[in-house]
Amino acid sequence: MSKDTALEFTNNILALVGGTQVSTIVGLTGGTIADITLRTINRAIKRIAGKPDVEWFTLFKSRLLQTRIYTASTITIAQDSGGDTITDSASGLGSFDAGAELVILDDSNDNLRFTISSVAAGQIVLNEAEIATAVAIGSSISVVQVSYPVASDFRNSIDLLDPANNTIIKPRYTKSIDMERRWANNATGDPDLFTVAGNFYRLSWIPGSQLTHIDRYMAYPTELTLDAQTSDLPEFCDNAIHYLAYSDILFFKKNLEQGAAEFSKYKGEIEQAIDANQRISDMENVVEMNSDRLMGSPSVSSNSLLTIVDD
């Protein structure tokens, strides 16, 4: 059994509501019944994907996250009305992320944190409201990025893995980290805690060297915009998507009795889908516990024990 495509989803519901079938969903606009149907299908997918306490196994993703630290004696820090600048005559600094938080480790700016306004090869411009102490070229300075952008399809975090140290970096609330470590705000070391602040991960401790972490997270489903595209949810969610979208359109058309009947079908389908997803997740957990590998990462040695860093 194959998954329904976006075009099939749309035409199946159009047939039920008496709408005209379409040959493509690409470019549907203008509030036509086909346009409304497609938007309702996408909304149904998002609602199902966002159900509390359900982690759909097909939305689990991982990626590598590399910390950024740059140390050189060719760096100048200058004050400027449009935002203080960190400039490197050797054209470093280009790999840092706009919007991220950084620290400057030198005698003048230790214990201060700054927000990156913009980045170019050889220069970082800081938020104009944040004032750095000017430093002339010649001293060894380290610029360390403390926060890192989440993935573009990020919904919520699972954890960060540190394969080099065989540890799990644990999530905390921002306030919790600030309270626990207020006495060592800019201490460096291998991070063992993180928080999600806006669209960024914020690490604690400040990375003292370049590290590679594995970011495990739950993703938002991709919006259906192409004819052959299928939902990112598991195949056994297709019926639930159909009934939820169809019931929403019936409610929109003020066909309340039939809408309630279709929504009841949705509730039955979604319960079955959640049960099926849980069985698959349970099986995957058993396999992971008995596996010699950590997410297939070659940097984690065979039969090594994964340590959870705790307080």
Side-chain angles (χ1 to χ4, degrees), residues 53-91:
D53 303 321
V54 181
E55 293 186 341
W56 301 106
F57 77 94
T58 55
L59 297 182
F60 168 86
K61 289 191 177 182
S62 65
R63 62 169 186 156
L64 294 180
L65 188 155
Q66 191 170 64
T67 61
R68 297 177 176 86
I69 178 170
Y70 184 76
T71 302
S73 57
T74 52
I75 294 175
T76 304
I77 300 175
Q79 294 182 338
D80 191 287
S81 59
D84 294 352
T85 59
I86 306 171
T87 304
D88 177 42
S89 61
S91 297

mmCIF file of all heavy atoms in Angstrom, residues 53-91:
data_model
loop_
_atom_site.group_PDB
_atom_site.id
_atom_site.type_symbol
_atom_site.label_atom_id
_atom_site.label_comp_id
_atom_site.label_asym_id
_atom_site.label_seq_id
_atom_site.Cartn_x
_atom_site.Cartn_y
_atom_site.Cartn_z
ATOM 1 N N ASP A 53 2.637 14.789 23.352
ATOM 2 C CA ASP A 53 3.090 13.475 23.842
ATOM 3 C C ASP A 53 3.169 12.406 22.761
ATOM 4 O O ASP A 53 3.221 11.214 23.074
ATOM 5 C CB ASP A 53 2.188 12.975 24.988
ATOM 6 C CG ASP A 53 2.129 13.959 26.143
ATOM 7 O OD1 ASP A 53 3.177 14.546 26.450
ATOM 8 O OD2 ASP A 53 1.044 14.143 26.713
ATOM 9 N N VAL A 54 3.159 12.818 21.491
ATOM 10 C CA VAL A 54 3.332 11.851 20.402
ATOM 11 C C VAL A 54 4.550 12.267 19.592
ATOM 12 O O VAL A 54 4.604 13.387 19.088
ATOM 13 C CB VAL A 54 2.095 11.783 19.475
ATOM 14 C CG1 VAL A 54 2.324 10.735 18.384
ATOM 15 C CG2 VAL A 54 0.843 11.466 20.265
ATOM 16 N N GLU A 55 5.517 11.385 19.494
ATOM 17 C CA GLU A 55 6.700 11.640 18.673
ATOM 18 C C GLU A 55 6.649 10.690 17.478
ATOM 19 O O GLU A 55 7.053 9.533 17.576
ATOM 20 C CB GLU A 55 7.985 11.447 19.493
ATOM 21 C CG GLU A 55 8.147 12.482 20.592
ATOM 22 C CD GLU A 55 9.484 12.387 21.302
ATOM 23 O OE1 GLU A 55 10.134 11.321 21.211
ATOM 24 O OE2 GLU A 55 9.877 13.369 21.952
ATOM 25 N N TRP A 56 6.124 11.172 16.365
ATOM 26 C CA TRP A 56 5.998 10.349 15.171
ATOM 27 C C TRP A 56 7.391 9.960 14.684
ATOM 28 O O TRP A 56 8.251 10.820 14.476
ATOM 29 C CB TRP A 56 5.232 11.112 14.088
ATOM 30 C CG TRP A 56 3.857 11.521 14.518
ATOM 31 C CD1 TRP A 56 3.442 12.771 14.854
ATOM 32 C CD2 TRP A 56 2.719 10.665 14.664
ATOM 33 N NE1 TRP A 56 2.118 12.765 15.196
ATOM 34 C CE2 TRP A 56 1.635 11.472 15.097
ATOM 35 C CE3 TRP A 56 2.499 9.297 14.477
ATOM 36 C CZ2 TRP A 56 0.371 10.971 15.344
ATOM 37 C CZ3 TRP A 56 1.229 8.795 14.716
ATOM 38 C CH2 TRP A 56 0.190 9.613 15.138
ATOM 39 N N PHE A 57 7.604 8.666 14.519
ATOM 40 C CA PHE A 57 8.955 8.189 14.247
ATOM 41 C C PHE A 57 9.524 8.727 12.940
ATOM 42 O O PHE A 57 10.745 8.865 12.802
ATOM 43 C CB PHE A 57 8.999 6.652 14.269
ATOM 44 C CG PHE A 57 8.448 5.976 13.045
ATOM 45 C CD1 PHE A 57 9.274 5.603 11.998
ATOM 46 C CD2 PHE A 57 7.077 5.708 12.932
ATOM 47 C CE1 PHE A 57 8.769 4.978 10.875
ATOM 48 C CE2 PHE A 57 6.574 5.081 11.805
ATOM 49 C CZ PHE A 57 7.413 4.720 10.771
ATOM 50 N N THR A 58 8.681 9.074 11.993
ATOM 51 C CA THR A 58 9.181 9.594 10.710
ATOM 52 C C THR A 58 9.617 11.052 10.805
ATOM 53 O O THR A 58 10.238 11.570 9.878
ATOM 54 C CB THR A 58 8.104 9.473 9.619
ATOM 55 O OG1 THR A 58 6.918 10.138 10.074
ATOM 56 C CG2 THR A 58 7.801 8.022 9.303
ATOM 57 N N LEU A 59 9.285 11.722 11.906
ATOM 58 C CA LEU A 59 9.682 13.120 12.083
ATOM 59 C C LEU A 59 10.943 13.252 12.920
ATOM 60 O O LEU A 59 11.403 14.368 13.198
ATOM 61 C CB LEU A 59 8.539 13.922 12.724
ATOM 62 C CG LEU A 59 7.247 14.021 11.900
ATOM 63 C CD1 LEU A 59 6.220 14.881 12.628
ATOM 64 C CD2 LEU A 59 7.523 14.587 10.509
ATOM 65 N N PHE A 60 11.501 12.130 13.351
ATOM 66 C CA PHE A 60 12.757 12.145 14.088
ATOM 67 C C PHE A 60 13.901 12.425 13.113
ATOM 68 O O PHE A 60 14.017 11.797 12.064
ATOM 69 C CB PHE A 60 12.990 10.798 14.775
ATOM 70 C CG PHE A 60 14.382 10.630 15.316
ATOM 71 C CD1 PHE A 60 14.711 11.099 16.568
ATOM 72 C CD2 PHE A 60 15.371 10.012 14.556
ATOM 73 C CE1 PHE A 60 16.000 10.952 17.067
ATOM 74 C CE2 PHE A 60 16.656 9.862 15.036
ATOM 75 C CZ PHE A 60 16.967 10.331 16.292
ATOM 76 N N LYS A 61 14.743 13.390 13.445
ATOM 77 C CA LYS A 61 15.874 13.716 12.589
ATOM 78 C C LYS A 61 17.133 13.929 13.435
ATOM 79 O O LYS A 61 17.063 14.177 14.646
ATOM 80 C CB LYS A 61 15.598 14.982 11.772
ATOM 81 C CG LYS A 61 14.562 14.798 10.672
ATOM 82 C CD LYS A 61 14.527 15.994 9.744
ATOM 83 C CE LYS A 61 13.554 15.795 8.600
ATOM 84 N NZ LYS A 61 13.562 16.960 7.672
ATOM 85 N N SER A 62 18.270 13.831 12.771
ATOM 86 C CA SER A 62 19.535 14.155 13.431
ATOM 87 C C SER A 62 20.449 14.845 12.432
ATOM 88 O O SER A 62 20.316 14.663 11.219
ATOM 89 C CB SER A 62 20.204 12.894 13.989
ATOM 90 O OG SER A 62 20.574 12.020 12.938
ATOM 91 N N ARG A 63 21.350 15.648 12.957
ATOM 92 C CA ARG A 63 22.318 16.368 12.125
ATOM 93 C C ARG A 63 23.564 16.619 12.969
ATOM 94 O O ARG A 63 23.535 16.501 14.198
ATOM 95 C CB ARG A 63 21.745 17.700 11.634
ATOM 96 C CG ARG A 63 21.411 18.633 12.776
ATOM 97 C CD ARG A 63 21.089 20.045 12.359
ATOM 98 N NE ARG A 63 20.929 20.891 13.539
ATOM 99 C CZ ARG A 63 21.092 22.207 13.556
ATOM 100 N NH1 ARG A 63 21.400 22.848 12.447
ATOM 101 N NH2 ARG A 63 20.950 22.904 14.668
ATOM 102 N N LEU A 64 24.661 16.967 12.307
ATOM 103 C CA LEU A 64 25.874 17.311 13.021
ATOM 104 C C LEU A 64 25.888 18.813 13.305
ATOM 105 O O LEU A 64 25.501 19.628 12.464
ATOM 106 C CB LEU A 64 27.111 16.944 12.200
ATOM 107 C CG LEU A 64 27.332 15.445 11.967
ATOM 108 C CD1 LEU A 64 28.587 15.232 11.135
ATOM 109 C CD2 LEU A 64 27.422 14.680 13.272
ATOM 110 N N LEU A 65 26.306 19.166 14.500
ATOM 111 C CA LEU A 65 26.408 20.565 14.911
ATOM 112 C C LEU A 65 27.836 20.792 15.391
ATOM 113 O O LEU A 65 28.271 20.182 16.359
ATOM 114 C CB LEU A 65 25.401 20.868 16.012
ATOM 115 C CG LEU A 65 25.208 22.322 16.449
ATOM 116 C CD1 LEU A 65 23.814 22.492 17.057
ATOM 117 C CD2 LEU A 65 26.266 22.767 17.434
ATOM 118 N N GLN A 66 28.575 21.645 14.705
ATOM 119 C CA GLN A 66 29.977 21.892 15.043
ATOM 120 C C GLN A 66 30.129 23.241 15.718
ATOM 121 O O GLN A 66 29.644 24.259 15.225
ATOM 122 C CB GLN A 66 30.851 21.831 13.793
ATOM 123 C CG GLN A 66 32.348 21.805 14.091
ATOM 124 C CD GLN A 66 33.156 21.510 12.845
ATOM 125 O OE1 GLN A 66 33.145 22.289 11.896
ATOM 126 N NE2 GLN A 66 33.862 20.387 12.835
ATOM 127 N N THR A 67 30.788 23.240 16.879
ATOM 128 C CA THR A 67 30.988 24.501 17.591
ATOM 129 C C THR A 67 32.003 25.365 16.840
ATOM 130 O O THR A 67 32.810 24.867 16.057
ATOM 131 C CB THR A 67 31.487 24.256 19.023
ATOM 132 O OG1 THR A 67 32.742 23.572 18.986
ATOM 133 C CG2 THR A 67 30.481 23.427 19.807
ATOM 134 N N ARG A 68 31.936 26.681 17.104
ATOM 135 C CA ARG A 68 32.796 27.626 16.393
ATOM 136 C C ARG A 68 33.639 28.414 17.394
ATOM 137 O O ARG A 68 33.092 29.101 18.266
ATOM 138 C CB ARG A 68 31.953 28.568 15.531
ATOM 139 C CG ARG A 68 31.193 27.827 14.438
ATOM 140 C CD ARG A 68 30.311 28.775 13.639
ATOM 141 N NE ARG A 68 29.658 28.084 12.542
ATOM 142 C CZ ARG A 68 28.505 27.421 12.648
ATOM 143 N NH1 ARG A 68 27.897 27.367 13.812
ATOM 144 N NH2 ARG A 68 27.967 26.823 11.604
ATOM 145 N N ILE A 69 34.930 28.304 17.247
ATOM 146 C CA ILE A 69 35.871 29.041 18.083
ATOM 147 C C ILE A 69 37.018 29.490 17.194
ATOM 148 O O ILE A 69 37.512 28.721 16.370
ATOM 149 C CB ILE A 69 36.358 28.188 19.275
ATOM 150 C CG1 ILE A 69 37.389 28.960 20.100
ATOM 151 C CG2 ILE A 69 36.925 26.859 18.808
ATOM 152 C CD1 ILE A 69 37.726 28.288 21.426
ATOM 153 N N TYR A 70 37.418 30.754 17.326
ATOM 154 C CA TYR A 70 38.494 31.284 16.499
ATOM 155 C C TYR A 70 39.457 32.046 17.394
ATOM 156 O O TYR A 70 39.052 32.963 18.124
ATOM 157 C CB TYR A 70 37.936 32.207 15.413
ATOM 158 C CG TYR A 70 38.981 32.718 14.451
ATOM 159 C CD1 TYR A 70 39.497 31.888 13.460
ATOM 160 C CD2 TYR A 70 39.463 34.021 14.552
ATOM 161 C CE1 TYR A 70 40.467 32.359 12.573
ATOM 162 C CE2 TYR A 70 40.418 34.499 13.669
ATOM 163 C CZ TYR A 70 40.922 33.657 12.685
ATOM 164 O OH TYR A 70 41.887 34.125 11.810
ATOM 165 N N THR A 71 40.706 31.643 17.376
ATOM 166 C CA THR A 71 41.733 32.274 18.197
ATOM 167 C C THR A 71 42.839 32.792 17.293
ATOM 168 O O THR A 71 43.342 32.069 16.429
ATOM 169 C CB THR A 71 42.321 31.275 19.208
ATOM 170 O OG1 THR A 71 41.271 30.758 20.038
ATOM 171 C CG2 THR A 71 43.366 31.948 20.086
ATOM 172 N N ALA A 72 43.217 34.059 17.486
ATOM 173 C CA ALA A 72 44.280 34.644 16.657
ATOM 174 C C ALA A 72 44.822 35.894 17.329
ATOM 175 O O ALA A 72 44.181 36.484 18.212
ATOM 176 C CB ALA A 72 43.753 34.976 15.264
ATOM 177 N N SER A 73 46.009 36.299 16.901
ATOM 178 C CA SER A 73 46.603 37.554 17.382
ATOM 179 C C SER A 73 46.471 38.633 16.315
ATOM 180 O O SER A 73 47.137 39.668 16.378
ATOM 181 C CB SER A 73 48.077 37.335 17.740
ATOM 182 O OG SER A 73 48.781 36.836 16.618
ATOM 183 N N THR A 74 45.610 38.370 15.328
ATOM 184 C CA THR A 74 45.389 39.327 14.236
ATOM 185 C C THR A 74 44.018 39.991 14.346
ATOM 186 O O THR A 74 43.503 40.552 13.392
ATOM 187 C CB THR A 74 45.495 38.596 12.881
ATOM 188 O OG1 THR A 74 44.631 37.445 12.896
ATOM 189 C CG2 THR A 74 46.922 38.140 12.617
ATOM 190 N N ILE A 75 43.428 39.924 15.528
ATOM 191 C CA ILE A 75 42.064 40.435 15.747
ATOM 192 C C ILE A 75 42.111 41.820 16.387
ATOM 193 O O ILE A 75 42.893 42.073 17.302
ATOM 194 C CB ILE A 75 41.259 39.472 16.645
ATOM 195 C CG1 ILE A 75 41.027 38.136 15.923
ATOM 196 C CG2 ILE A 75 39.928 40.088 17.056
ATOM 197 C CD1 ILE A 75 40.361 37.094 16.778
ATOM 198 N N THR A 76 41.237 42.712 15.886
ATOM 199 C CA THR A 76 41.060 44.046 16.460
ATOM 200 C C THR A 76 39.601 44.200 16.874
ATOM 201 O O THR A 76 38.696 43.801 16.139
ATOM 202 C CB THR A 76 41.393 45.147 15.433
ATOM 203 O OG1 THR A 76 42.716 44.950 14.953
ATOM 204 C CG2 THR A 76 41.281 46.534 16.053
ATOM 205 N N ILE A 77 39.374 44.780 18.040
ATOM 206 C CA ILE A 77 38.015 45.087 18.489
ATOM 207 C C ILE A 77 37.885 46.602 18.537
ATOM 208 O O ILE A 77 38.688 47.285 19.184
ATOM 209 C CB ILE A 77 37.722 44.472 19.873
ATOM 210 C CG1 ILE A 77 37.875 42.946 19.817
ATOM 211 C CG2 ILE A 77 36.313 44.847 20.334
ATOM 212 C CD1 ILE A 77 37.730 42.264 21.163
ATOM 213 N N ALA A 78 36.910 47.141 17.815
ATOM 214 C CA ALA A 78 36.753 48.599 17.718
ATOM 215 C C ALA A 78 35.320 48.992 18.041
ATOM 216 O O ALA A 78 34.374 48.257 17.730
ATOM 217 C CB ALA A 78 37.120 49.071 16.310
ATOM 218 N N GLN A 79 35.176 50.159 18.678
ATOM 219 C CA GLN A 79 33.851 50.685 18.982
ATOM 220 C C GLN A 79 33.342 51.494 17.803
ATOM 221 O O GLN A 79 34.087 52.233 17.169
ATOM 222 C CB GLN A 79 33.911 51.545 20.241
ATOM 223 C CG GLN A 79 34.259 50.732 21.492
ATOM 224 C CD GLN A 79 34.281 51.573 22.753
ATOM 225 O OE1 GLN A 79 34.437 52.783 22.692
ATOM 226 N NE2 GLN A 79 34.120 50.926 23.894
ATOM 227 N N ASP A 80 32.040 51.329 17.507
ATOM 228 C CA ASP A 80 31.437 52.001 16.357
ATOM 229 C C ASP A 80 29.981 52.274 16.672
ATOM 230 O O ASP A 80 29.300 51.449 17.282
ATOM 231 C CB ASP A 80 31.562 51.125 15.107
ATOM 232 C CG ASP A 80 31.187 51.873 13.833
ATOM 233 O OD1 ASP A 80 29.974 52.120 13.641
ATOM 234 O OD2 ASP A 80 32.084 52.183 13.041
ATOM 235 N N SER A 81 29.482 53.420 16.255
ATOM 236 C CA SER A 81 28.093 53.794 16.560
ATOM 237 C C SER A 81 27.079 52.853 15.919
ATOM 238 O O SER A 81 25.959 52.699 16.400
ATOM 239 C CB SER A 81 27.832 55.229 16.094
ATOM 240 O OG SER A 81 28.056 55.344 14.698
ATOM 241 N N GLY A 82 27.457 52.220 14.812
ATOM 242 C CA GLY A 82 26.547 51.295 14.142
ATOM 243 C C GLY A 82 26.671 49.869 14.630
ATOM 244 O O GLY A 82 26.076 48.960 14.064
ATOM 245 N N GLY A 83 27.444 49.665 15.677
ATOM 246 C CA GLY A 83 27.689 48.327 16.206
ATOM 247 C C GLY A 83 29.175 48.064 16.262
ATOM 248 O O GLY A 83 29.879 48.211 15.255
ATOM 249 N N ASP A 84 29.675 47.756 17.444
ATOM 250 C CA ASP A 84 31.106 47.499 17.596
ATOM 251 C C ASP A 84 31.530 46.344 16.701
ATOM 252 O O ASP A 84 30.731 45.444 16.393
ATOM 253 C CB ASP A 84 31.436 47.187 19.054
ATOM 254 C CG ASP A 84 31.207 48.393 19.955
ATOM 255 O OD1 ASP A 84 30.936 49.490 19.420
ATOM 256 O OD2 ASP A 84 31.287 48.231 21.182
ATOM 257 N N THR A 85 32.788 46.347 16.292
ATOM 258 C CA THR A 85 33.248 45.359 15.314
ATOM 259 C C THR A 85 34.408 44.532 15.855
ATOM 260 O O THR A 85 35.238 45.014 16.630
ATOM 261 C CB THR A 85 33.708 46.044 14.014
ATOM 262 O OG1 THR A 85 34.759 46.957 14.317
ATOM 263 C CG2 THR A 85 32.550 46.766 13.358
ATOM 264 N N ILE A 86 34.421 43.276 15.427
ATOM 265 C CA ILE A 86 35.553 42.391 15.656
ATOM 266 C C ILE A 86 36.114 42.101 14.273
ATOM 267 O O ILE A 86 35.432 41.513 13.432
ATOM 268 C CB ILE A 86 35.124 41.087 16.342
ATOM 269 C CG1 ILE A 86 34.346 41.380 17.625
ATOM 270 C CG2 ILE A 86 36.325 40.196 16.637
ATOM 271 C CD1 ILE A 86 33.698 40.138 18.246
ATOM 272 N N THR A 87 37.331 42.528 14.028
ATOM 273 C CA THR A 87 37.920 42.409 12.691
ATOM 274 C C THR A 87 39.192 41.573 12.759
ATOM 275 O O THR A 87 40.005 41.748 13.674
ATOM 276 C CB THR A 87 38.241 43.795 12.103
ATOM 277 O OG1 THR A 87 37.058 44.588 12.104
ATOM 278 C CG2 THR A 87 38.754 43.667 10.681
ATOM 279 N N ASP A 88 39.335 40.679 11.795
ATOM 280 C CA ASP A 88 40.528 39.834 11.722
ATOM 281 C C ASP A 88 41.239 40.092 10.400
ATOM 282 O O ASP A 88 40.667 39.881 9.327
ATOM 283 C CB ASP A 88 40.145 38.357 11.829
ATOM 284 C CG ASP A 88 41.352 37.443 11.695
ATOM 285 O OD1 ASP A 88 42.398 37.777 12.276
ATOM 286 O OD2 ASP A 88 41.248 36.432 10.987
ATOM 287 N N SER A 89 42.485 40.553 10.475
ATOM 288 C CA SER A 89 43.226 40.875 9.252
ATOM 289 C C SER A 89 43.561 39.624 8.447
ATOM 290 O O SER A 89 43.910 39.720 7.267
ATOM 291 C CB SER A 89 44.511 41.629 9.601
ATOM 292 O OG SER A 89 45.356 40.832 10.427
ATOM 293 N N ALA A 90 43.418 38.443 9.073
ATOM 294 C CA ALA A 90 43.672 37.188 8.350
ATOM 295 C C ALA A 90 42.402 36.632 7.718
ATOM 296 O O ALA A 90 42.378 35.498 7.228
ATOM 297 C CB ALA A 90 44.281 36.155 9.291
ATOM 298 N N SER A 91 41.318 37.420 7.753
ATOM 299 C CA SER A 91 40.033 37.069 7.108
ATOM 300 C C SER A 91 39.362 35.841 7.708
ATOM 301 O O SER A 91 38.655 35.112 7.026
ATOM 302 C CB SER A 91 40.219 36.875 5.588
ATOM 303 O OG SER A 91 40.640 38.079 5.000
#
